[in-house]
Amino acid sequence: MITLYYAQNTCALASHIALEDAGAAYATRRIDFTANQQQSPAYLAVNPKGRVPAMVTDRGILTESPAMLAFIAQTYPAAKLAPLDDAFAFAQVQSFNAYLCATLHVAHSHRMRGARWASEAASFEDMRRNVPRAVGACFDLIERDYLKGPWVMGEAYTICDPYLFTFAQWLEGDGVDPARIPNVIAHRQRMNERPSVRKALAEEFA
Amino acid sequence: MITLYYAQNTCALASHIALEDAGAAYATRRIDFTANQQQSPAYLAVNPKGRVPAMVTDRGILTESPAMLAFIAQTYPAAKLAPLDDAFAFAQVQSFNAYLCATLHVAHSHRMRGARWASEAASFEDMRRNVPRAVGACFDLIERDYLKGPWVMGEAYTICDPYLFTFAQWLEGDGVDPARIPNVIAHRQRMNERPSVRKALAEEFA
């Protein structure tokens, strides 16, 4: 049994969808960022980083989306969420997810989380002004070089897909013009039609 | 045969050391950041992101350190660089490396790469002033919660170790007082004594 800690409108959605895709037995617990629950002693005992997602398993607690997504794929191999028997293909999956985690998500975070890296209100404003450029450059690269279609890795749906979908939820809010990334938008629509995605979204926004 | 593209004083060092640890047959190519070679058409054909590391394999090109490190571990299983037969333990390894990639490395990058996320000189200065705090918080968390000792994951040396060592090279430059993270410093010293580390460093700084 797995328990997923998530908050609304966060990257935890990717692992939530993947657990659905995997057919895993799991429960969810919502952390309320508006009440700063992620910094509560109870939650810091789960994840000392004070962030989501975190996943409680029978063996212990896992954090960091790329690691959790790979764990879900490896733990539920029948769902075929990653090319587990091909180290190179698996590395391509992991490379895409690492880019989302360390470059796209970080570019997005400068919209509202500038205090992680700066102190002055003028810097936060400057960062916010640059979000459309920085996030847009990531989506341009994905559109041009990485999204093979119909899924990220081509014909096979993988753990890359819910992770890309999660960030694609935010692109209009990040000031990125959807017209410049038609393949990303088509992928988002394709994802929206999946029962696993509908179920995870319905629960998170209930 | 693997070809690793690296630049001096970059996170490519982690994969370089891991290739040595693995006993892999590989060659290296140095990209000169001072000549902006990472943005040359020839290099962009290798890695459209214009960054290092990149690794050319018989199957194609891989980027992103966490993915490359896991690939090295999986491709050279005899070197036992990751717990490949235990999905949870492998996820712990991957979780640590994702944190280095997406949080510690990103905090460090605000010292000299502020133009990724802002435009104003005052913002870059503000970011630089916050690097000791942001990078220091990452090392504090690693010191307190993640570095088990003697290696990151405990008794077994893994792909977490060269990656942590790489960022530990920069901590004084990032304004972090080594006295507050004695376990990280002891780990760095332990790494410095390994032949694989000495060989990679000697080549990169020849």
Side-chain angles (χ1 to χ4, degrees):
Chain A
M1 182 71 170
I2 284 171
T3 302
L4 175 70
Y5 287 81
Y6 76 96
Q8 282 184 330
N9 266 320
T10 68
C11 66
L13 178 64
S15 295
H16 194 171
I17 294 169
L19 286 167
E20 277 297 322
D21 287 324
Y26 73 99
T28 57
R29 296 231 186 124
R30 189 184 298 182
I31 299 300
D32 184 355
F33 276 20
T34 64
N36 208 33
Q37 275 187 348
Q38 73 274 28
Q39 294 295 335
S40 67
Y43 187 67
L44 289 174
V46 173
N47 183 2
K49 296 168 190 165
R51 303 218 187 150
V52 293
M55 196 161 73
V56 180
T57 79
D58 295 339
R59 294 276 300 281
I61 294 166
L62 292 175
T63 58
E64 304 290 340
S65 294
M68 290 166 57
L69 291 166
F71 174 78
I72 292 165
Q74 291 186 327
T75 303
Y76 302 95
K80 298 187 186 301
L81 296 175
L84 300 176
D85 298 327
D86 181 334
F88 181 79
F90 183 66
Q92 287 183 303
V93 166
Q94 295 230 102
S95 176
F96 185 83
N97 282 356
Y99 180 72
L100 297 189
C101 178
T103 304
L104 174 52
H105 194 167
V106 168
H108 163 81
S109 295
H110 284 73
R111 177 150 67 103
M112 290 181 293
R113 305 285 183 199
R116 289 179 182 166
W117 308 289
S119 308
E120 306 294 331
S123 307
F124 304 153
E125 276 305 313
D126 188 13
M127 291 173 178
R128 269 193 282 273
R129 281 193 302 274
N130 276 276
V131 163
R133 171 185 64 80
V135 172
C138 294
F139 276 113
D140 287 346
L141 185 80
I142 290 166
E143 175 84 10
R144 193 190 68 203
D145 291 327
Y146 292 108
L147 174 53
K148 294 175 187 164
W151 306 115
V152 172
M153 288 292 146
E155 293 302 321
Y157 178 94
T158 68
I159 47 173
C160 299
D161 295 297
Y163 205 23
L164 174 61
F165 174 76
T166 296
F167 297 111
Q169 302 287 100
W170 306 333
L171 64 89
E172 286 90 350
D174 285 343
V176 178
D177 179 5
R180 79 197 231 192
I181 45 173
N183 293 326
V184 171
I185 300 303
H187 177 269
R188 186 172 68 178
Q189 184 53 37
R190 214 169 280 129
M191 287 293 293
N192 265 317
E193 291 162 8
R194 290 175 66 90
S196 61
V197 173
R198 292 183 180 208
K199 181 142 184 267
L201 285 173
E203 181 177 346
E204 295 202 4
F205 291 94
Chain B
M1 181 70 169
I2 285 171
T3 302
L4 175 70
Y5 288 80
Y6 77 96
Q8 283 183 331
N9 266 320
T10 69
C11 66
L13 177 64
S15 295
H16 194 170
I17 295 169
L19 286 167
E20 278 294 323
D21 287 323
Y26 73 99
T28 59
R29 296 231 186 124
R30 190 184 298 182
I31 299 299
D32 184 355
F33 275 20
T34 64
N36 209 32
Q37 275 186 349
Q38 73 272 30
Q39 293 296 335
S40 67
Y43 186 67
L44 289 174
V46 173
N47 183 3
K49 296 169 192 165
R51 303 217 187 150
V52 293
M55 196 161 74
V56 181
T57 79
D58 295 340
R59 294 276 301 281
I61 293 167
L62 292 174
T63 58
E64 304 291 341
S65 293
M68 291 168 57
L69 290 166
F71 175 77
I72 292 166
Q74 290 186 327
T75 304
Y76 303 95
K80 297 185 187 302
L81 295 174
L84 300 176
D85 299 328
D86 180 335
F88 181 80
F90 183 66
Q92 289 183 303
V93 165
Q94 294 229 102
S95 176
F96 185 83
N97 283 357
Y99 180 72
L100 297 189
C101 179
T103 305
L104 174 52
H105 194 167
V106 168
H108 163 81
S109 295
H110 283 72
R111 178 150 66 103
M112 291 183 291
R113 306 285 182 199
R116 289 178 183 166
W117 308 290
S119 308
E120 306 294 330
S123 306
F124 304 153
E125 276 305 314
D126 187 13
M127 290 174 179
R128 268 194 282 274
R129 280 193 303 273
N130 277 278
V131 164
R133 172 185 64 81
V135 173
C138 294
F139 276 114
D140 286 346
L141 185 78
I142 291 167
E143 174 85 11
R144 192 190 68 202
D145 291 328
Y146 292 109
L147 174 52
K148 294 176 186 164
W151 305 115
V152 171
M153 287 292 146
E155 293 301 322
Y157 178 96
T158 69
I159 48 174
C160 298
D161 294 298
Y163 206 23
L164 175 61
F165 174 76
T166 296
F167 298 111
Q169 302 287 99
W170 306 334
L171 65 90
E172 285 91 349
D174 285 343
V176 178
D177 179 3
R180 79 196 227 191
I181 45 171
N183 293 325
V184 171
I185 299 303
H187 178 268
R188 184 170 71 178
Q189 182 54 37
R190 214 169 279 130
M191 287 294 293
N192 265 318
E193 291 162 8
R194 290 175 66 90
S196 61
V197 174
R198 292 182 181 207
K199 182 144 182 268
L201 284 173
E203 182 177 344
E204 295 202 4
F205 291 92

PDB file of all heavy atoms in Angstrom, chain A residues 29-58:
ATOM      1  N   ARG A  29      -3.110  11.814   0.474  1.00  0.00           N
ATOM      2  CA  ARG A  29      -3.330  12.788   1.548  1.00  0.00           C
ATOM      3  C   ARG A  29      -2.997  14.157   0.990  1.00  0.00           C
ATOM      4  O   ARG A  29      -1.916  14.371   0.447  1.00  0.00           O
ATOM      5  CB  ARG A  29      -2.405  12.489   2.741  1.00  0.00           C
ATOM      6  CG  ARG A  29      -2.703  11.149   3.370  1.00  0.00           C
ATOM      7  CD  ARG A  29      -2.883  11.262   4.879  1.00  0.00           C
ATOM      8  NE  ARG A  29      -3.022   9.915   5.427  1.00  0.00           N
ATOM      9  CZ  ARG A  29      -2.251   9.430   6.384  1.00  0.00           C
ATOM     10  NH1 ARG A  29      -1.312  10.183   6.936  1.00  0.00           N
ATOM     11  NH2 ARG A  29      -2.422   8.198   6.831  1.00  0.00           N
ATOM     12  N   ARG A  30      -3.956  15.070   1.150  1.00  0.00           N
ATOM     13  CA  ARG A  30      -3.742  16.415   0.617  1.00  0.00           C
ATOM     14  C   ARG A  30      -3.049  17.314   1.640  1.00  0.00           C
ATOM     15  O   ARG A  30      -3.454  17.363   2.797  1.00  0.00           O
ATOM     16  CB  ARG A  30      -5.082  17.044   0.212  1.00  0.00           C
ATOM     17  CG  ARG A  30      -4.880  18.348  -0.550  1.00  0.00           C
ATOM     18  CD  ARG A  30      -6.214  19.021  -0.866  1.00  0.00           C
ATOM     19  NE  ARG A  30      -7.062  18.197  -1.714  1.00  0.00           N
ATOM     20  CZ  ARG A  30      -8.260  18.581  -2.166  1.00  0.00           C
ATOM     21  NH1 ARG A  30      -8.726  19.765  -1.864  1.00  0.00           N
ATOM     22  NH2 ARG A  30      -8.969  17.780  -2.933  1.00  0.00           N
ATOM     23  N   ILE A  31      -2.006  17.981   1.197  1.00  0.00           N
ATOM     24  CA  ILE A  31      -1.305  18.976   2.015  1.00  0.00           C
ATOM     25  C   ILE A  31      -1.789  20.349   1.552  1.00  0.00           C
ATOM     26  O   ILE A  31      -1.776  20.641   0.349  1.00  0.00           O
ATOM     27  CB  ILE A  31       0.220  18.836   1.825  1.00  0.00           C
ATOM     28  CG1 ILE A  31       0.691  17.452   2.268  1.00  0.00           C
ATOM     29  CG2 ILE A  31       0.974  19.935   2.583  1.00  0.00           C
ATOM     30  CD1 ILE A  31       0.405  17.125   3.717  1.00  0.00           C
ATOM     31  N   ASP A  32      -2.205  21.177   2.494  1.00  0.00           N
ATOM     32  CA  ASP A  32      -2.780  22.479   2.152  1.00  0.00           C
ATOM     33  C   ASP A  32      -1.689  23.548   2.194  1.00  0.00           C
ATOM     34  O   ASP A  32      -1.271  23.988   3.270  1.00  0.00           O
ATOM     35  CB  ASP A  32      -3.911  22.801   3.150  1.00  0.00           C
ATOM     36  CG  ASP A  32      -4.619  24.102   2.788  1.00  0.00           C
ATOM     37  OD1 ASP A  32      -4.186  24.785   1.841  1.00  0.00           O
ATOM     38  OD2 ASP A  32      -5.607  24.422   3.473  1.00  0.00           O
ATOM     39  N   PHE A  33      -1.228  23.948   1.003  1.00  0.00           N
ATOM     40  CA  PHE A  33      -0.162  24.952   0.938  1.00  0.00           C
ATOM     41  C   PHE A  33      -0.663  26.306   1.448  1.00  0.00           C
ATOM     42  O   PHE A  33       0.127  27.083   1.977  1.00  0.00           O
ATOM     43  CB  PHE A  33       0.351  25.103  -0.501  1.00  0.00           C
ATOM     44  CG  PHE A  33       1.398  24.093  -0.896  1.00  0.00           C
ATOM     45  CD1 PHE A  33       1.569  22.903  -0.209  1.00  0.00           C
ATOM     46  CD2 PHE A  33       2.249  24.348  -1.978  1.00  0.00           C
ATOM     47  CE1 PHE A  33       2.544  21.974  -0.579  1.00  0.00           C
ATOM     48  CE2 PHE A  33       3.229  23.434  -2.354  1.00  0.00           C
ATOM     49  CZ  PHE A  33       3.376  22.240  -1.660  1.00  0.00           C
ATOM     50  N   THR A  34      -1.977  26.581   1.277  1.00  0.00           N
ATOM     51  CA  THR A  34      -2.467  27.892   1.733  1.00  0.00           C
ATOM     52  C   THR A  34      -2.402  27.987   3.261  1.00  0.00           C
ATOM     53  O   THR A  34      -2.335  29.078   3.815  1.00  0.00           O
ATOM     54  CB  THR A  34      -3.917  28.154   1.273  1.00  0.00           C
ATOM     55  OG1 THR A  34      -4.785  27.184   1.886  1.00  0.00           O
ATOM     56  CG2 THR A  34      -4.044  28.046  -0.243  1.00  0.00           C
ATOM     57  N   ALA A  35      -2.395  26.838   3.948  1.00  0.00           N
ATOM     58  CA  ALA A  35      -2.250  26.827   5.401  1.00  0.00           C
ATOM     59  C   ALA A  35      -0.809  26.507   5.808  1.00  0.00           C
ATOM     60  O   ALA A  35      -0.523  26.318   6.990  1.00  0.00           O
ATOM     61  CB  ALA A  35      -3.200  25.798   6.023  1.00  0.00           C
ATOM     62  N   ASN A  36       0.090  26.457   4.809  1.00  0.00           N
ATOM     63  CA  ASN A  36       1.520  26.177   5.038  1.00  0.00           C
ATOM     64  C   ASN A  36       1.752  24.833   5.732  1.00  0.00           C
ATOM     65  O   ASN A  36       2.714  24.656   6.484  1.00  0.00           O
ATOM     66  CB  ASN A  36       2.149  27.315   5.857  1.00  0.00           C
ATOM     67  CG  ASN A  36       3.634  27.463   5.562  1.00  0.00           C
ATOM     68  OD1 ASN A  36       4.075  27.218   4.435  1.00  0.00           O
ATOM     69  ND2 ASN A  36       4.418  27.843   6.561  1.00  0.00           N
ATOM     70  N   GLN A  37       0.844  23.884   5.443  1.00  0.00           N
ATOM     71  CA  GLN A  37       0.981  22.551   6.067  1.00  0.00           C
ATOM     72  C   GLN A  37       2.281  21.843   5.693  1.00  0.00           C
ATOM     73  O   GLN A  37       2.724  20.957   6.420  1.00  0.00           O
ATOM     74  CB  GLN A  37      -0.190  21.654   5.627  1.00  0.00           C
ATOM     75  CG  GLN A  37      -1.448  21.815   6.459  1.00  0.00           C
ATOM     76  CD  GLN A  37      -2.501  20.781   6.090  1.00  0.00           C
ATOM     77  OE1 GLN A  37      -2.389  20.091   5.089  1.00  0.00           O
ATOM     78  NE2 GLN A  37      -3.539  20.687   6.894  1.00  0.00           N
ATOM     79  N   GLN A  38       2.865  22.246   4.556  1.00  0.00           N
ATOM     80  CA  GLN A  38       4.102  21.565   4.160  1.00  0.00           C
ATOM     81  C   GLN A  38       5.255  21.849   5.123  1.00  0.00           C
ATOM     82  O   GLN A  38       6.257  21.142   5.119  1.00  0.00           O
ATOM     83  CB  GLN A  38       4.483  21.913   2.708  1.00  0.00           C
ATOM     84  CG  GLN A  38       5.025  23.313   2.484  1.00  0.00           C
ATOM     85  CD  GLN A  38       3.939  24.366   2.255  1.00  0.00           C
ATOM     86  OE1 GLN A  38       2.812  24.240   2.738  1.00  0.00           O
ATOM     87  NE2 GLN A  38       4.280  25.392   1.507  1.00  0.00           N
ATOM     88  N   GLN A  39       5.094  22.890   5.942  1.00  0.00           N
ATOM     89  CA  GLN A  39       6.130  23.207   6.935  1.00  0.00           C
ATOM     90  C   GLN A  39       5.721  22.785   8.340  1.00  0.00           C
ATOM     91  O   GLN A  39       6.422  23.114   9.314  1.00  0.00           O
ATOM     92  CB  GLN A  39       6.434  24.711   6.896  1.00  0.00           C
ATOM     93  CG  GLN A  39       7.072  25.187   5.592  1.00  0.00           C
ATOM     94  CD  GLN A  39       8.457  24.600   5.340  1.00  0.00           C
ATOM     95  OE1 GLN A  39       9.165  24.217   6.273  1.00  0.00           O
ATOM     96  NE2 GLN A  39       8.836  24.485   4.071  1.00  0.00           N
ATOM     97  N   SER A  40       4.618  22.040   8.463  1.00  0.00           N
ATOM     98  CA  SER A  40       4.190  21.584   9.790  1.00  0.00           C
ATOM     99  C   SER A  40       5.139  20.486  10.276  1.00  0.00           C
ATOM    100  O   SER A  40       5.694  19.731   9.475  1.00  0.00           O
ATOM    101  CB  SER A  40       2.761  21.035   9.728  1.00  0.00           C
ATOM    102  OG  SER A  40       2.732  19.854   8.949  1.00  0.00           O
ATOM    103  N   PRO A  41       5.331  20.381  11.598  1.00  0.00           N
ATOM    104  CA  PRO A  41       6.193  19.296  12.114  1.00  0.00           C
ATOM    105  C   PRO A  41       5.736  17.922  11.640  1.00  0.00           C
ATOM    106  O   PRO A  41       6.568  17.066  11.312  1.00  0.00           O
ATOM    107  CB  PRO A  41       6.052  19.441  13.640  1.00  0.00           C
ATOM    108  CG  PRO A  41       5.706  20.891  13.850  1.00  0.00           C
ATOM    109  CD  PRO A  41       4.848  21.281  12.660  1.00  0.00           C
ATOM    110  N   ALA A  42       4.427  17.710  11.551  1.00  0.00           N
ATOM    111  CA  ALA A  42       3.930  16.392  11.133  1.00  0.00           C
ATOM    112  C   ALA A  42       4.375  16.089   9.703  1.00  0.00           C
ATOM    113  O   ALA A  42       4.802  14.967   9.399  1.00  0.00           O
ATOM    114  CB  ALA A  42       2.404  16.342  11.240  1.00  0.00           C
ATOM    115  N   TYR A  43       4.281  17.077   8.815  1.00  0.00           N
ATOM    116  CA  TYR A  43       4.681  16.800   7.437  1.00  0.00           C
ATOM    117  C   TYR A  43       6.194  16.778   7.283  1.00  0.00           C
ATOM    118  O   TYR A  43       6.730  15.970   6.499  1.00  0.00           O
ATOM    119  CB  TYR A  43       4.055  17.790   6.450  1.00  0.00           C
ATOM    120  CG  TYR A  43       4.362  17.370   5.027  1.00  0.00           C
ATOM    121  CD1 TYR A  43       3.816  16.196   4.511  1.00  0.00           C
ATOM    122  CD2 TYR A  43       5.250  18.087   4.235  1.00  0.00           C
ATOM    123  CE1 TYR A  43       4.126  15.766   3.233  1.00  0.00           C
ATOM    124  CE2 TYR A  43       5.563  17.669   2.950  1.00  0.00           C
ATOM    125  CZ  TYR A  43       4.995  16.507   2.457  1.00  0.00           C
ATOM    126  OH  TYR A  43       5.320  16.064   1.189  1.00  0.00           O
ATOM    127  N   LEU A  44       6.900  17.616   8.029  1.00  0.00           N
ATOM    128  CA  LEU A  44       8.367  17.587   7.935  1.00  0.00           C
ATOM    129  C   LEU A  44       8.928  16.241   8.395  1.00  0.00           C
ATOM    130  O   LEU A  44      10.007  15.840   7.964  1.00  0.00           O
ATOM    131  CB  LEU A  44       8.989  18.736   8.744  1.00  0.00           C
ATOM    132  CG  LEU A  44       8.766  20.131   8.139  1.00  0.00           C
ATOM    133  CD1 LEU A  44       9.295  21.202   9.099  1.00  0.00           C
ATOM    134  CD2 LEU A  44       9.446  20.268   6.773  1.00  0.00           C
ATOM    135  N   ALA A  45       8.157  15.541   9.236  1.00  0.00           N
ATOM    136  CA  ALA A  45       8.587  14.196   9.633  1.00  0.00           C
ATOM    137  C   ALA A  45       8.465  13.218   8.464  1.00  0.00           C
ATOM    138  O   ALA A  45       9.197  12.227   8.380  1.00  0.00           O
ATOM    139  CB  ALA A  45       7.754  13.704  10.817  1.00  0.00           C
ATOM    140  N   VAL A  46       7.561  13.499   7.538  1.00  0.00           N
ATOM    141  CA  VAL A  46       7.421  12.690   6.319  1.00  0.00           C
ATOM    142  C   VAL A  46       8.474  13.125   5.302  1.00  0.00           C
ATOM    143  O   VAL A  46       9.206  12.309   4.753  1.00  0.00           O
ATOM    144  CB  VAL A  46       6.000  12.843   5.720  1.00  0.00           C
ATOM    145  CG1 VAL A  46       5.905  12.146   4.367  1.00  0.00           C
ATOM    146  CG2 VAL A  46       4.963  12.297   6.694  1.00  0.00           C
ATOM    147  N   ASN A  47       8.527  14.432   5.043  1.00  0.00           N
ATOM    148  CA  ASN A  47       9.484  14.958   4.062  1.00  0.00           C
ATOM    149  C   ASN A  47      10.186  16.182   4.628  1.00  0.00           C
ATOM    150  O   ASN A  47       9.631  17.277   4.634  1.00  0.00           O
ATOM    151  CB  ASN A  47       8.772  15.327   2.756  1.00  0.00           C
ATOM    152  CG  ASN A  47       9.757  15.811   1.705  1.00  0.00           C
ATOM    153  OD1 ASN A  47      10.971  15.832   1.935  1.00  0.00           O
ATOM    154  ND2 ASN A  47       9.242  16.196   0.554  1.00  0.00           N
ATOM    155  N   PRO A  48      11.426  15.981   5.084  1.00  0.00           N
ATOM    156  CA  PRO A  48      12.139  17.108   5.706  1.00  0.00           C
ATOM    157  C   PRO A  48      12.408  18.263   4.746  1.00  0.00           C
ATOM    158  O   PRO A  48      12.785  19.341   5.187  1.00  0.00           O
ATOM    159  CB  PRO A  48      13.452  16.467   6.193  1.00  0.00           C
ATOM    160  CG  PRO A  48      13.586  15.194   5.448  1.00  0.00           C
ATOM    161  CD  PRO A  48      12.191  14.731   5.125  1.00  0.00           C
ATOM    162  N   LYS A  49      12.174  18.051   3.454  1.00  0.00           N
ATOM    163  CA  LYS A  49      12.343  19.155   2.500  1.00  0.00           C
ATOM    164  C   LYS A  49      11.153  20.127   2.545  1.00  0.00           C
ATOM    165  O   LYS A  49      11.246  21.227   1.995  1.00  0.00           O
ATOM    166  CB  LYS A  49      12.481  18.608   1.074  1.00  0.00           C
ATOM    167  CG  LYS A  49      13.724  17.760   0.861  1.00  0.00           C
ATOM    168  CD  LYS A  49      13.650  17.015  -0.473  1.00  0.00           C
ATOM    169  CE  LYS A  49      14.765  15.986  -0.577  1.00  0.00           C
ATOM    170  NZ  LYS A  49      14.525  15.014  -1.671  1.00  0.00           N
ATOM    171  N   GLY A  50      10.035  19.687   3.144  1.00  0.00           N
ATOM    172  CA  GLY A  50       8.872  20.569   3.210  1.00  0.00           C
ATOM    173  C   GLY A  50       8.243  20.820   1.854  1.00  0.00           C
ATOM    174  O   GLY A  50       7.711  21.897   1.594  1.00  0.00           O
ATOM    175  N   ARG A  51       8.307  19.830   1.002  1.00  0.00           N
ATOM    176  CA  ARG A  51       7.720  19.965  -0.342  1.00  0.00           C
ATOM    177  C   ARG A  51       6.883  18.724  -0.659  1.00  0.00           C
ATOM    178  O   ARG A  51       6.937  17.731   0.040  1.00  0.00           O
ATOM    179  CB  ARG A  51       8.832  20.109  -1.391  1.00  0.00           C
ATOM    180  CG  ARG A  51       9.755  21.294  -1.086  1.00  0.00           C
ATOM    181  CD  ARG A  51      10.179  22.003  -2.321  1.00  0.00           C
ATOM    182  NE  ARG A  51      11.175  23.024  -2.005  1.00  0.00           N
ATOM    183  CZ  ARG A  51      12.136  23.406  -2.833  1.00  0.00           C
ATOM    184  NH1 ARG A  51      12.240  22.860  -4.025  1.00  0.00           N
ATOM    185  NH2 ARG A  51      12.993  24.352  -2.493  1.00  0.00           N
ATOM    186  N   VAL A  52       6.135  18.805  -1.739  1.00  0.00           N
ATOM    187  CA  VAL A  52       5.461  17.620  -2.273  1.00  0.00           C
ATOM    188  C   VAL A  52       6.052  17.348  -3.648  1.00  0.00           C
ATOM    189  O   VAL A  52       6.634  18.268  -4.243  1.00  0.00           O
ATOM    190  CB  VAL A  52       3.931  17.821  -2.397  1.00  0.00           C
ATOM    191  CG1 VAL A  52       3.294  17.936  -1.034  1.00  0.00           C
ATOM    192  CG2 VAL A  52       3.586  18.987  -3.289  1.00  0.00           C
ATOM    193  N   PRO A  53       5.913  16.127  -4.145  1.00  0.00           N
ATOM    194  CA  PRO A  53       5.256  14.985  -3.539  1.00  0.00           C
ATOM    195  C   PRO A  53       6.167  14.230  -2.580  1.00  0.00           C
ATOM    196  O   PRO A  53       7.384  14.405  -2.564  1.00  0.00           O
ATOM    197  CB  PRO A  53       4.955  14.104  -4.756  1.00  0.00           C
ATOM    198  CG  PRO A  53       6.102  14.375  -5.684  1.00  0.00           C
ATOM    199  CD  PRO A  53       6.405  15.837  -5.492  1.00  0.00           C
ATOM    200  N   ALA A  54       5.507  13.401  -1.770  1.00  0.00           N
ATOM    201  CA  ALA A  54       6.210  12.381  -0.999  1.00  0.00           C
ATOM    202  C   ALA A  54       5.336  11.138  -1.040  1.00  0.00           C
ATOM    203  O   ALA A  54       4.117  11.235  -1.152  1.00  0.00           O
ATOM    204  CB  ALA A  54       6.428  12.827   0.445  1.00  0.00           C
ATOM    205  N   MET A  55       5.977   9.991  -0.994  1.00  0.00           N
ATOM    206  CA  MET A  55       5.247   8.734  -1.161  1.00  0.00           C
ATOM    207  C   MET A  55       5.697   7.786  -0.060  1.00  0.00           C
ATOM    208  O   MET A  55       6.892   7.473   0.050  1.00  0.00           O
ATOM    209  CB  MET A  55       5.594   8.155  -2.540  1.00  0.00           C
ATOM    210  CG  MET A  55       4.658   7.080  -3.006  1.00  0.00           C
ATOM    211  SD  MET A  55       4.794   6.841  -4.828  1.00  0.00           S
ATOM    212  CE  MET A  55       6.376   6.018  -4.936  1.00  0.00           C
ATOM    213  N   VAL A  56       4.757   7.374   0.780  1.00  0.00           N
ATOM    214  CA  VAL A  56       5.068   6.424   1.843  1.00  0.00           C
ATOM    215  C   VAL A  56       4.828   5.020   1.304  1.00  0.00           C
ATOM    216  O   VAL A  56       3.728   4.711   0.825  1.00  0.00           O
ATOM    217  CB  VAL A  56       4.201   6.677   3.094  1.00  0.00           C
ATOM    218  CG1 VAL A  56       4.536   5.679   4.196  1.00  0.00           C
ATOM    219  CG2 VAL A  56       4.395   8.109   3.593  1.00  0.00           C
ATOM    220  N   THR A  57       5.855   4.202   1.350  1.00  0.00           N
ATOM    221  CA  THR A  57       5.748   2.817   0.896  1.00  0.00           C
ATOM    222  C   THR A  57       6.000   1.892   2.079  1.00  0.00           C
ATOM    223  O   THR A  57       6.376   2.343   3.165  1.00  0.00           O
ATOM    224  CB  THR A  57       6.790   2.494  -0.204  1.00  0.00           C
ATOM    225  OG1 THR A  57       8.069   2.274   0.419  1.00  0.00           O
ATOM    226  CG2 THR A  57       6.915   3.641  -1.207  1.00  0.00           C
ATOM    227  N   ASP A  58       5.817   0.600   1.854  1.00  0.00           N
ATOM    228  CA  ASP A  58       6.085  -0.368   2.915  1.00  0.00           C
ATOM    229  C   ASP A  58       7.555  -0.354   3.336  1.00  0.00           C
ATOM    230  O   ASP A  58       7.888  -0.754   4.448  1.00  0.00           O
ATOM    231  CB  ASP A  58       5.729  -1.791   2.429  1.00  0.00           C
ATOM    232  CG  ASP A  58       4.245  -1.937   2.168  1.00  0.00           C
ATOM    233  OD1 ASP A  58       3.469  -1.132   2.712  1.00  0.00           O
ATOM    234  OD2 ASP A  58       3.862  -2.845   1.405  1.00  0.00           O
TER     235      ASP A  58
END
